[in-house]
Amino acid sequence: MDAAESLCADRRLRLTPVRRRVLELLLAAPKAQGAYDVLSGLNRDAPPRQPPAAYRALDFLVAHGLAHRIERLNAYVACASPGSTHRPAFLICRACDRVAETPDLTPDRLKREADAQGFRIEATVVEAVGLCPACAP
Amino acid sequence: MDAAESLCADRRLRLTPVRRRVLELLLAAPKAQGAYDVLSGLNRDAPPRQPPAAYRALDFLVAHGLAHRIERLNAYVACASPGSTHRPAFLICRACDRVAETPDLTPDRLKREADAQGFRIEATVVEAVGLCPACAP
DNA sequence: ATCGAAATGTTACACTATAACAGAACCGTC
DNA sequence: GACGGTTCTGTTATAGTGTAACATTTCGAT
Ligand SMILES: [Zn+2]
Ligand SMILES: [Zn+2]
Ligand SMILES: [Zn+2]
Ligand SMILES: [Zn+2]
């Protein structure tokens, strides 16, 4: 949280109350939170909010590296090391939905990292997004 | 398609008309197809089908390695090399949604593979699914 | 104080996915 | 060829995820 504070200060980003609260919720959660989980969290405070409020805050956090979206779960987690640009790998437990973030690493190191944590990988998804030759500028 | 035929024959899997048709649709499509795209494709034939028909066929194809689900797009593509167990990486163009499947490779080879194809990676998602220490049997 | 940009509120809707149960088709055995 | 279990399909309804569009407010700088 402190890291997020100073990061936003450095970059002149506005960590508004809603965004701050959403980040707190993600940090406090033991597992990845869907957008509507976050929304319920917000609405445990007052006043009641609508879906866009949650999505906007989450988009902000993801865009600036304070949180990650787990495509597989349609859910979000707070980043484990905000500030540094990184391409993390996530270890997602299919039983409890807990998500561990591993630091930037090359793919063959992924298995060793998982082994070290006692995590048994059953499937891995690698998705790269970018521009194909036909669409490159 | 022939590969799918023989693969199903070998494994005593039933490549029923619906499943066959869905695979044909995926193979014919230039880009990843959402479940409802597939459903529209099915309904261009008769008789009209409902969402579960598409999802069931897609689940079957994915389960047996004839297709892959692209989490990022909530969409599906036909597998480029069915039969072989593999952990492919997908190159997803954010502009045209075309998806290229790269063969099983280690992550540092991903960049080289992409470079060779003239594909400019802008973001990569690595998601591993399995069992965390707390949930392991 | 004023103005433009950024953020939020609000309504309504689109897209994605599954539960639950009924019926039909398939496949082996007797 | 009739049973009987299994797998596949049909059908209805509903749950879950995400966004478009526009009004309103807040912020920060001239
Ligand atoms: Zn991170
Ligand atoms: Zn677990
Ligand atoms: Zn494949
Ligand atoms: Zn493209």
Side-chain angles (χ1 to χ4, degrees):
Chain A
M1 199 62 233
D2 295 332
E5 298 266 347
S6 53
L7 186 152
C8 287
D10 288 354
R11 301 189 193 168
R12 305 288 186 272
L13 299 174
R14 292 162 62 183
L15 189 58
T16 63
V18 191
R19 294 169 176 173
R20 180 194 195 81
R21 187 83 189 93
V22 170
L23 182 52
E24 288 172 359
L25 288 167
L26 290 185
L27 284 166
K31 41 168 279 192
Q33 300 288 288
Y36 282 74
D37 294 330
V38 168
L39 185 56
S40 316
L42 281 179
N43 286 346
R44 240 171 274 122
D45 318 338
R49 320 260 184 178
Q50 286 68 39
Y55 281 101
R56 285 164 179 163
L58 289 167
D59 287 348
F60 170 87
L61 296 174
V62 169
H64 296 98
L66 296 171
H68 298 290
R69 174 178 168 82
I70 310 298
E71 302 293 343
R72 177 104 185 195
L73 302 177
N74 298 327
Y76 302 81
V77 293
C79 173
S81 59
S84 63
T85 303
H86 54 279
R87 189 169 41 120
F90 298 99
L91 305 178
I92 308 165
C93 178
R94 69 164 158 76
C96 68
D97 274 5
R98 251 179 276 264
V99 175
E101 178 177 352
T102 74
D104 204 347
L105 38 71
T106 59
D108 42 0
R109 286 181 56 194
L110 178 58
K111 186 180 180 329
R112 287 206 296 278
E113 185 78 14
D115 286 346
Q117 299 193 22
F119 192 101
R120 229 179 58 208
I121 292 180
E122 293 173 337
T124 303
V125 178
V126 179
E127 296 179 2
V129 179
L131 285 178
C132 74
C135 298
Chain B
M1 197 65 230
D2 295 332
E5 297 267 348
S6 53
L7 185 152
C8 287
D10 289 353
R11 301 190 193 168
R12 305 286 185 272
L13 299 174
R14 293 163 61 182
L15 189 59
T16 63
V18 193
R19 294 167 176 176
R20 180 193 196 80
R21 187 82 190 94
V22 170
L23 182 53
E24 288 172 358
L25 289 168
L26 290 185
L27 285 166
K31 39 167 281 190
Q33 300 287 288
Y36 281 75
D37 296 330
V38 168
L39 185 57
S40 316
L42 281 178
N43 285 348
R44 240 170 274 123
D45 320 337
R49 320 259 184 179
Q50 287 66 41
Y55 281 101
R56 284 163 180 164
L58 289 167
D59 287 348
F60 170 87
L61 295 174
V62 169
H64 296 98
L66 296 171
H68 299 289
R69 174 178 168 81
I70 310 296
E71 301 293 343
R72 177 103 184 194
L73 301 176
N74 297 326
Y76 302 81
V77 294
C79 175
S81 60
S84 65
T85 303
H86 54 280
R87 188 170 41 122
F90 299 100
L91 304 178
I92 308 165
C93 178
R94 69 166 156 77
C96 67
D97 274 4
R98 251 180 276 265
V99 176
E101 179 177 352
T102 73
D104 205 347
L105 39 69
T106 60
D108 42 0
R109 286 181 57 195
L110 178 58
K111 185 179 182 330
R112 286 206 296 279
E113 186 79 14
D115 286 346
Q117 300 193 22
F119 192 102
R120 226 180 61 207
I121 294 180
E122 293 174 334
T124 304
V125 178
V126 179
E127 296 179 2
V129 178
L131 285 179
C132 73
C135 299

